[in-house]
Amino acid sequence: MSGPIDYTTLEDTELVARAREGDSRAFDELVIRHSRKLHATLYQMTDNYDVAYDIAQEAFSKAYRALRYFNGQSAFYTWLHSIAVNHARNFLKKRNRRMTYSLDDDEYGDHTEKDMNMADETDGADPERRTHLNELQLKINEALKKLSTKHREVVVLHDVKGLNHTEISALLGISEGTLRSRLHYAHKELQGLLAEYLS
């Protein structure tokens, strides 16, 4: 007789298969596994902790109801992320204001900094360099806020979250050519905004 299932050792694909068969604990493990990463992305999109939490919960709820439509052609998190981003974009449209991203928030600041390769652990012993990096991060944050919505979101997804072109194209519903164009112009604009500070 086999022992109890250790859900933490199962791959996402197996958890999805079990959840489809009505195993709620399998889906609970998916929620536990991906909630923090998803919430961090949504927080950067909405600049509101509670709103990000609510959207994440809506995304998980919708994903659970729509599991039968998940074809496995992409990773589960990519599919979930797409649902969440669509919810966030709808929220931002209703709120009718520019999106803001907080790249220096206390809770996610260290993670964001590492994602952007702005510093590594060896810099911790150099106060002067650390101060410079903190100032640079603030400048980047301000520069991002000046980008258009469509340019800001591709920069965050690509440069901050580290998603590849295929994943971002699927999430935003745009072609890879359009994505490359947006990234090109967004990077060019950021370079212009940060030129004085980086020179």
Side-chain angles (χ1 to χ4, degrees):
M1 183 176 179
S2 60
I5 300 171
D6 183 357
Y7 290 88
T8 63
T9 64
L10 302 181
E11 298 290 337
D12 281 6
T13 51
E14 187 170 352
L15 290 171
V16 169
R18 288 179 175 275
R20 277 176 169 169
E21 295 172 359
D23 188 342
S24 60
R25 290 184 63 190
F27 194 79
D28 288 344
E29 173 60 28
L30 288 169
V31 173
I32 293 170
R33 188 172 295 182
H34 299 298
S35 59
R36 178 173 172 80
K37 183 178 179 182
L38 186 67
H39 185 269
T41 299
L42 293 169
Y43 178 76
Q44 288 175 329
M45 292 183 69
T46 63
D47 199 31
N48 186 301
Y49 186 93
D50 292 330
V51 168
Y53 177 83
D54 289 343
I55 293 175
Q57 296 308 304
E58 289 177 15
F60 277 117
S61 179
K62 183 174 181 179
Y64 183 76
R65 296 193 303 270
L67 272 179
R68 63 184 182 278
Y69 300 116
F70 176 58
N71 55 26
Q73 292 183 351
S74 63
F76 172 77
Y77 181 75
T78 301
W79 180 67
L80 172 67
H81 193 286
S82 179
I83 294 173
V85 167
N86 285 334
H87 274 289
R89 294 171 91 186
N90 288 337
F91 168 81
L92 291 167
K93 287 177 182 177
K94 291 178 181 178
R95 193 166 64 178
N96 194 29
R97 70 176 181 84
R98 290 171 61 88
M99 290 195 301
T100 57
Y101 296 90
S102 179
L103 298 184
D104 57 344
D105 179 76
D106 289 341
E107 183 169 0
Y108 300 117
D110 290 342
H111 177 70
T112 300
E113 186 176 275
K114 291 176 182 177
D115 282 347
M116 297 183 72
N117 294 320
M118 289 173 59
D120 56 45
E121 294 179 0
T122 60
D123 295 323
D126 187 341
E128 183 177 346
R129 177 162 176 75
R130 175 60 60 182
T131 298
H132 174 77
L133 291 173
N134 288 339
E135 291 175 357
L136 176 59
Q137 189 166 326
L138 289 172
K139 293 289 184 179
I140 292 173
N141 189 35
E142 290 302 312
L144 276 173
K145 292 178 181 179
K146 295 178 182 179
L147 298 182
S148 67
T149 296
K150 65 181 182 181
H151 286 156
R152 191 181 309 120
E153 67 184 2
V154 296
V155 168
V156 168
L157 292 174
H158 183 268
D159 298 328
V160 180
K161 305 310 296 181
L163 300 183
N164 62 41
H165 287 190
T166 301
E167 292 172 325
I168 299 172
S169 297
L171 289 173
L172 301 182
I174 59 177
S175 69
E176 290 194 32
T178 298
L179 170 60
R180 284 192 291 270
S181 176
R182 289 184 185 180
L183 276 173
H184 171 75
Y185 286 107
H187 287 159
K188 189 174 181 180
E189 189 172 356
L190 281 175
Q191 288 171 2
L193 292 168
L194 295 169
E196 182 178 353
Y197 187 79
L198 295 175
S199 60

